[in-house]
Amino acid sequence: VGVGGARGIGGATVREATKLGGTVVIADVSDERGAEIANEIGATYHHLDIRNRAEWEDVLGKVVADKGGIDILHISAAVLTRPASVPVFDDPLPWLTEENWRRSCGINVDGVVFGTMAAIPHLEARGGGMILLGMSGAGYGGWALAPFYSMTKASVNSWMRATAELLAAKNIKVTTAAPGAPTDGG
């Protein structure tokens, strides 16, 4: 399951997984783009607002019912603090608002936590699997150009370390990937 697979790194990942022979399911809030990519690569698409635990349960339940199980969950969805239209080296202080904090935490942290929690029983039922979390170098130390993003990615790193230790006995590998910049400008 490629969460955030409608654009950027998530989009590149679902395309590559399909080329490698994987059965791919895309989940995203960008319905038009997600359905377009799913159609292009022969995947299935589901709407998913990762900030909502109940939607995680619903979507992963549908995937298991339709595909017979889940082996890998890749959570790539994430947001920076500033809009994509604002130059990255612009002053970040105007973007440090409560609204942007809630959005960053909801997508970058809640999405990872809720997705992991929802996937555990499905992966356990398969005898194990993998949860791959999108990471960034910004999470290994403060990044002044995007403090909220940096802090949320540090949380992802900490979550990965804790859950990797907890889930190893269930044969569920939890890890992160920090692949770099998005590949399609989205």
Side-chain angles (χ1 to χ4, degrees), residues 29-173:
V29 293
S30 298
D31 295 330
E32 187 175 321
R33 179 87 170 127
E36 180 183 303
I37 291 175
N39 186 50
E40 170 194 322
I41 65 173
T44 303
Y45 176 78
H46 291 279
H47 176 88
L48 173 62
D49 180 345
I50 66 173
R51 300 170 294 181
N52 184 311
R53 173 73 192 263
E55 283 191 33
W56 272 107
E57 299 290 341
D58 181 55
V59 168
L60 294 186
K62 287 176 181 174
V63 170
V64 168
D66 184 42
K67 305 295 182 189
I70 297 170
D71 296 309
I72 300 171
L73 173 65
H74 178 223
I75 305 175
S76 180
V79 294
L80 289 169
T81 308
R82 68 178 47 88
S85 62
V86 175
V88 84
F89 292 108
D90 219 36
D91 181 5
L93 292 177
W95 303 105
L96 300 182
T97 65
E98 181 176 349
E99 180 183 347
N100 283 336
W101 169 247
R102 300 283 176 217
R103 181 172 179 261
S104 295
C105 280
I107 294 169
N108 299 355
V109 179
D110 292 353
V112 166
V113 171
F114 295 159
T116 302
M117 293 165 54
I120 290 170
H122 299 298
L123 294 169
E124 193 173 12
R126 298 280 280 190
M130 175 184 272
I131 301 171
L132 178 60
L133 307 172
M135 188 52 189
S136 168
Y140 300 120
W143 187 35
L145 295 175
F148 292 165
Y149 180 78
S150 180
M151 185 175 171
T152 59
K153 287 302 184 175
S155 295
V156 169
N157 187 52
S158 183
W159 177 256
M160 177 276 297
R161 290 176 180 272
T163 56
E165 185 176 327
L166 288 170
L167 297 175
K170 297 180 180 294
N171 199 31
I172 300 172
K173 180 179 177 92

